[in-house]
Amino acid sequence: MGRGRGGGRGRGGFRGKGKKGGDRGPVRAEPWSDIPRENELYENYYKTGGFMDEEEFEEMWKYMASDLPNSFRFTGTKAEAHAVREIFKQRYIPAIKDVEFEGKTVPPPEPVEAFPDELVWHMKTHKKVIRRHKPFAEFQKFLVAETTAGNISRQEVVSMIPPHFLDVRPGMVVLDMCAAPGSKSAQLAEMIHGDEEERVQRAASNESFNPTEGGDYSDDGRSTGLLIANDTDVKRAGMLVHQVKRLNFPNLIVTQHDASIFPSIEMPPAPGSSKAQYLKFDRILADVPCSGDGTSRKNVNVWQKWTPRDGLGLHGLQLRILMRGLQLLKKGGRLVYSTCSMNPVENEAVVAAAIEACGGNDKVRLVDCSGYLPNLKRKPGMNKWKVLDTSNVNNGEDKIHHNFTSWESFQSTKEKYAESEPNRQFSSKITRSVFPPDEKSEIPLERCVRVYPHLQDTGAFFIAVLEKVNDIKVAQPGSITGQASTPKPVAESETATPAPLPPVDGEPNGAASPTKRKLEDVEEDAQPKRVKTEAPSAETPVEQSTKESSATPAASGKEMTARPKADNQGLQKEYFEYIPKDDPTVAGIFDFFGISDRFPRDRFLVRNREGLALNKMYYTSELARTIITRNKDRGMRFVHCGVVMFVSHKIKEAAKQAAWRLQGEGIKILEPWASKRIVKCTSRESLHRLLIEMFPMLPKDRKHNLGEVGDQLYELEVGCCFLKVDKRDGEDGFPFSMVLPIWRHPGSANLMVDKDDRKAMLLRLYNEQEPQLINHVAEKAKQDALKEQQDAEASAGAEANGEEEGDKPDVAVAGEDAVMTSS
């Protein structure tokens, strides 16, 4: 590849045959393993672009052409994550260490040293080994089961870095601008909630604790923080909801908006004022759409399809997203900008252009993050780079590759070819902002972080941490990219966020952003086999919310809010309505379970237009309630909020008890405040029986096999209960505390846990690889059906023999105490 300043044929450019720029050819048909991991243009750009010396580059490129190790992270609360990690270490690692393959010892999974507490692991085991050796197969089954249960996240190592650099603490308000598929959002949610479970237990027991130690737990031990996870695509937003719902965290809202024009969120006026305020965030993650050329170890299509125009085409969108993030950031707040690309056009160029547009280092500064994840091996950001472009004639023929070092060299080269080859076309996406900033800008781009594959056997990643030092005046996008001669700043108000930026490069505000990755952070095995969706009903509309207006607000700094279009546009609105705190249904539920008056009653959300408690009730945080209530009719597209706490249970005995059951997602939040219907399980045998059997019998003679659990259930009327399992060390104990919903039927009991979760718990707690669940209701139904068939056959035989209709025997009818299944 030429290294000349201008990039012309005599000054460093070279010709190449190929398709028209941007045409990536046909869809891949051959297996991934057969795709050659070679691309001369891709390799030469990073070899000669000043990224590292030649010897180090050769080492790095060997890693780039090799398979990426599988990696995973233990998730959830600290106590649960550590407990599941210990089960993994004690049960599976010793067995795996003894495996040999083709005469060599197979390396077991190892903790990634860059992350604390051995919560992140990776393994390089080939699939052939996993298939042939039982210890690996058993470990794989454990990994899949815990991923389904939400205790493990199959996530690439480098994608775990940005949340650590954000330095999130409980009580902070955080925005994840481009959140799907949700692995980073899960990390952020864990950080926001912190160790609130322990503090809530102390608060509910009236024990003293410091509500501001390590964060803000002033809501009776609960974190006051909030995560808003956003994605522009409705399908990807659905994937995001599936990922974060497994964590059972109420301080969470999922939205669906173009991140580059993310709407301002209205908040109540300040005391003594009637003017609305707008939410500013403590922390923002902008993990933006990128070319993904650092993912070639897992996405081999990069080798076939990489072109320099990938990064150039995304630069403008990335810059708009970053600028919008800085507008939404609170003064003193921190924003992490990240990509899985190595191209400085998508990285340092975007960061430098944003800082310059905001007014320089006095307004927005790059943070030195060498103190975060100190064991992470990294390289500094670049201050100089070249911009690669491929010009062509006649729709892709006679290609020339150019390396430009400055905007001026690009302009002069275009002028030269305009005279000699007027039909030669250059990329229309090259703007002033894709080049290194002027040396006078003094932006310390070396504070950015570059992670390369050879440093710790990962993919490639870029991270920059920006702090908003002062209020900013944002130049219009045209002046940022070099398409306008005179910047026109837009002032930022103290009380209102400026309106979203207008489009760049002629792209409409409502245009869908390109895919975030060529292949997402979530590994293939981590994708759910099926996503359970709620059936359409009056409470759960199928479609997303109405589209917001795409009209561009005036650049005056005055808050402009998009209003929803009329319902006759063919879209159904998603409804998010809060139940009044004096609602009799909620009061009845609280009385039935003995819920303390200290537990808030005004945070229960339903999903129907009328705001009625019909099917499900979601519990949310106070800040989430404020945001939903004030912005539900302002054009915001809310997709998900809170956790399901109560579900309607339609049964015959409903007149005698609260006809609502506890839901596994929210039960741990509620249990510390409950005084009734608490059943304690102290025996491993009793819990095992409840897991392995569905609807075990509770006969009237009290001869049952449910141990201490059955004895307690006899003293309770029909309805749902808390099954509480306390942590206890030793072989006969439990590795961590659990709270599960259990239903007391007239003649049976049933743990309200689905089959997949039952099997995961049996594997986790009892090491049962292939448990056979017993469903007493299903067995009884089979027997009844068989008897009915036999009776019908006998009746038909009698008729054939001439017996009269009146001589038929009566069919037994199930009595009132028959087992009732849950809805």
Side-chain angles (χ1 to χ4, degrees):
M1 179 180 294
R3 305 178 67 166
R5 177 180 176 88
R9 271 175 288 176
R11 304 177 61 187
F14 64 94
R15 292 186 180 270
K17 297 288 184 180
K19 295 180 180 293
K20 180 180 179 180
D23 184 357
R24 301 184 174 214
V27 176
R28 172 182 58 81
E30 66 273 29
W32 281 27
S33 57
D34 296 339
I35 295 178
R37 302 192 182 190
E38 298 175 355
N39 184 315
E40 182 182 1
L41 185 61
Y42 179 32
E43 179 178 355
N44 282 339
Y45 176 63
Y46 286 109
K47 185 175 183 178
T48 63
F51 294 85
M52 59 192 73
D53 61 48
E54 186 172 350
E55 182 178 354
E56 185 177 11
F57 172 82
E58 295 298 334
E59 180 187 5
M60 189 268 286
W61 210 249
K62 289 179 182 178
Y63 276 85
M64 287 284 285
S66 66
D67 290 335
L68 185 70
N70 294 312
S71 54
F72 57 93
R73 182 178 66 87
F74 293 97
T75 66
T77 65
K78 187 175 181 180
E80 291 179 353
H82 285 213
V84 177
R85 180 202 64 191
E86 288 308 302
I87 293 172
F88 158 71
K89 289 175 62 177
Q90 295 171 18
R91 183 185 299 170
Y92 297 101
I93 293 296
I96 291 174
K97 283 183 177 179
D98 298 331
V99 173
E100 290 190 358
F101 182 69
E102 297 180 350
K104 296 181 180 180
T105 301
V106 178
E110 298 176 340
V112 180
E113 295 181 358
F115 298 90
D117 300 325
E118 292 188 341
L119 292 177
V120 177
W121 292 66
H122 64 179
M123 58 184 293
K124 309 172 188 178
T125 312
H126 196 277
K127 291 181 179 179
K128 292 181 180 179
V129 179
I130 295 176
R131 286 195 294 263
R132 295 182 186 180
H133 295 274
K134 184 178 178 180
F136 275 103
E138 291 180 350
F139 162 63
Q140 180 74 4
K141 185 175 295 183
F142 171 81
L143 194 63
V144 172
E146 295 300 337
T147 299
T148 303
N151 293 321
I152 286 178
S153 174
R154 305 286 292 277
Q155 185 178 357
E156 188 180 346
V157 167
V158 287
S159 79
M160 304 178 195
I161 300 172
H164 285 275
F165 281 18
L166 261 182
D167 189 29
V168 173
R169 295 185 295 277
M172 288 185 171
V173 184
V174 182
L175 171 64
D176 189 349
M177 300 185 76
C178 309
S183 53
K184 298 179 187 67
S185 292
Q187 287 179 266
L188 295 172
E190 292 168 18
M191 295 173 180
I192 286 172
H193 282 272
D195 59 353
E196 70 175 6
E197 283 191 9
E198 176 186 346
R199 296 173 192 256
V200 168
Q201 291 285 353
R202 295 174 67 181
S205 301
N206 294 316
E207 298 178 21
S208 62
F209 70 96
N210 186 348
T212 60
E213 181 182 0
D216 186 353
Y217 297 94
S218 58
D219 185 17
D220 252 337
R222 295 175 287 261
S223 170
T224 59
L226 179 71
L227 170 66
I228 297 180
N230 175 73
D231 202 87
T232 186
D233 183 80
V234 64
K235 291 183 179 179
R236 292 169 54 80
M239 184 192 305
L240 171 60
V241 171
H242 174 81
Q243 177 85 338
V244 298
K245 278 179 68 175
R246 299 180 306 163
L247 298 172
N248 303 333
F249 289 148
N251 299 27
L252 171 71
I253 296 174
V254 177
T255 60
Q256 184 219 331
H257 287 283
D258 182 343
S260 65
I261 52 172
F262 189 84
S264 301
I265 297 175
E266 184 178 286
M267 298 296 289
S273 172
S274 60
K275 186 176 182 180
Q277 301 185 103
Y278 294 90
L279 183 66
K280 292 296 184 73
F281 294 90
D282 298 289
R283 298 287 188 266
I284 294 178
L285 175 60
D287 186 47
V288 300
C290 68
S291 66
D293 71 5
T295 68
S296 62
R297 300 187 69 181
K298 67 175 182 180
N299 179 15
V300 294
N301 283 333
V302 172
W303 296 96
Q304 283 189 323
K305 300 180 178 181
W306 187 91
T307 75
R309 296 195 175 186
D310 291 342
L312 291 171
L314 287 166
H315 173 86
L317 172 66
Q318 293 162 342
L319 181 54
R320 296 199 303 278
I321 292 175
L322 177 53
M323 294 300 299
R324 184 58 183 153
L326 290 171
Q327 285 182 308
L328 294 166
L329 192 63
K330 185 183 297 182
K331 189 194 306 186
R334 176 175 293 191
L335 182 150
V336 164
Y337 174 88
S338 61
T339 74
C340 54
S341 169
M342 300 182 292
N343 193 340
V345 168
E346 303 177 65
N347 297 325
E348 288 90 348
V350 175
V351 171
I355 293 175
E356 287 186 332
C358 291
N361 296 321
D362 293 337
K363 299 291 185 179
V364 176
R365 73 179 186 92
L366 274 167
V367 177
D368 179 4
C369 45
S370 57
Y372 294 94
L373 296 180
N375 293 328
L376 177 71
K377 298 175 184 178
R378 65 195 88 187
K379 292 283 187 179
M382 303 175 67
N383 285 289
K384 296 292 181 184
W385 59 87
K386 300 171 184 177
V387 176
L388 176 65
D389 185 31
T390 302
S391 66
N392 63 82
V393 178
N394 298 328
N395 296 322
E397 296 181 359
D398 193 16
K399 285 187 177 181
I400 303 178
H401 305 303
H402 312 266
N403 264 321
F404 301 109
T405 57
S406 67
W407 172 253
E408 289 74 21
S409 66
F410 169 66
Q411 292 286 69
S412 63
T413 301
K414 282 184 64 177
E415 292 173 1
K416 183 186 71 173
Y417 278 106
E419 297 178 0
S420 60
E421 294 184 70
N423 292 328
R424 180 161 296 280
Q425 297 177 339
F426 291 81
S427 171
S428 63
K429 300 296 183 180
I430 294 183
T431 60
R432 186 183 296 275
S433 62
V434 304
F435 293 96
D438 191 287
E439 294 181 358
K440 296 179 181 178
S441 67
E442 298 182 347
I443 298 174
L445 292 174
E446 65 277 2
R447 290 184 177 178
C448 300
V449 174
R450 285 181 161 266
V451 177
Y452 293 113
H454 66 293
L455 298 178
Q456 51 236 314
D457 201 3
T458 65
F461 220 75
F462 173 87
I463 309 103
V465 184
L466 298 96
E467 180 183 345
K468 188 172 182 178
V469 181
N470 215 326
D471 292 326
I472 58 177
K473 292 184 177 181
V474 182
Q476 289 184 345
S479 62
I480 299 172
T481 58
Q483 294 176 342
S485 57
T486 305
K488 297 180 180 179
V490 178
E492 178 181 43
S493 169
E494 289 289 344
T495 59
T497 302
L501 296 171
V504 178
D505 297 334
E507 298 176 7
N509 283 343
S513 300
T515 56
K516 183 176 179 180
R517 298 285 186 266
K518 289 184 177 178
L519 188 67
E520 287 300 331
D521 292 336
V522 172
E523 303 296 335
E524 183 177 348
D525 288 344
Q527 297 287 355
K529 293 182 180 179
R530 63 183 185 276
V531 178
K532 296 179 181 178
T533 56
E534 300 172 6
S537 67
E539 175 153 343
T540 310
V542 176
E543 300 292 340
Q544 70 270 24
S545 65
T546 53
K547 293 182 179 180
E548 63 179 345
S549 170
S550 60
T552 303
S556 63
K558 182 179 180 181
E559 184 63 29
M560 299 292 288
T561 305
R563 297 290 177 182
K565 292 183 179 180
D567 288 340
N568 60 6
Q569 297 299 312
L571 293 176
Q572 288 181 300
K573 180 181 173 67
E574 284 274 21
Y575 294 100
F576 292 81
E577 300 290 341
Y578 280 86
I579 296 176
K581 63 181 180 180
D582 58 353
D583 182 84
T585 301
V586 175
I589 295 173
F590 272 47
D591 180 66
F592 185 70
F593 292 109
I595 307 301
S596 168
D597 291 337
R598 288 169 56 189
F599 192 86
R601 301 192 182 198
D602 59 349
R603 303 181 187 177
F604 290 101
L605 176 78
V606 293
R607 303 285 295 273
N608 59 74
R609 183 195 298 265
E610 297 79 13
L612 301 176
L614 301 176
N615 184 19
K616 292 183 178 181
M617 278 190 265
Y618 298 76
Y619 171 78
T620 75
S621 69
E622 181 180 5
L623 181 55
R625 177 175 60 83
T626 300
I627 290 174
I628 294 285
T629 302
R630 293 194 67 92
N631 295 271
K632 62 184 180 181
D633 297 321
R634 299 182 66 249
M636 286 208 68
R637 300 175 194 150
F638 296 111
V639 178
H640 171 77
C641 182
V643 297
V644 181
M645 187 165 281
F646 305 118
V647 176
S648 177
H649 198 95
K650 310 299 184 184
I651 58 172
K652 293 181 180 179
E653 313 88 271
K656 300 179 181 179
Q657 48 80 48
W660 291 81
R661 71 173 185 259
L662 300 161
Q663 191 72 359
E665 292 181 26
I667 193 170
K668 292 187 73 172
I669 300 169
L670 193 64
E671 182 273 329
W673 306 96
S675 61
K676 297 179 183 179
R677 306 192 64 78
I678 298 175
V679 176
K680 293 188 177 182
C681 178
T682 58
S683 164
R684 287 177 61 85
E685 182 180 354
S686 298
L687 181 59
H688 182 268
R689 181 72 64 181
L690 288 167
L691 288 170
I692 207 77
E693 293 187 35
M694 303 173 73
F695 305 99
M697 303 303 293
L698 289 174
K700 291 182 178 180
D701 60 8
R702 297 204 172 200
K703 292 180 180 180
H704 60 87
N705 58 4
L706 296 181
E708 77 285 6
V709 174
D711 293 340
Q712 295 171 74
L713 287 173
Y714 274 112
E715 307 306 320
L716 299 173
E717 60 181 305
V718 171
C720 203
C721 311
F722 298 91
L723 182 70
K724 189 174 180 181
V725 183
D726 290 329
K727 177 183 177 182
R728 190 175 71 247
D729 296 330
E731 293 183 1
D732 295 332
F734 300 97
F736 50 84
S737 62
M738 294 172 278
V739 183
L740 303 168
I742 184 171
W743 189 274
R744 163 69 158 107
H745 290 284
S748 68
N750 188 38
L751 199 62
M752 312 294 281
V753 177
D754 67 28
K755 290 183 179 180
D756 289 339
D757 286 338
R758 285 173 183 261
K759 291 180 179 180
M761 292 178 69
L762 287 165
L763 178 60
R764 182 189 316 133
L765 300 174
Y766 302 94
N767 197 20
E768 294 193 9
Q769 300 291 324
E770 299 290 344
Q772 299 299 314
L773 304 184
I774 304 169
N775 189 329
H776 292 286
V777 170
E779 290 298 324
K780 186 177 184 302
K782 287 182 182 178
Q783 294 174 6
D784 291 344
L786 179 60
K787 186 177 184 304
E788 184 177 348
Q789 181 181 356
Q790 291 172 346
D791 290 344
E793 291 174 353
S795 176
E799 288 182 2
N801 292 328
E803 293 186 18
E804 296 296 326
E805 182 74 21
D807 294 334
K808 293 181 184 178
D810 292 333
V811 178
V813 180
E816 289 290 328
D817 289 339
V819 172
M820 304 298 296
T821 60
S822 61
S823 61

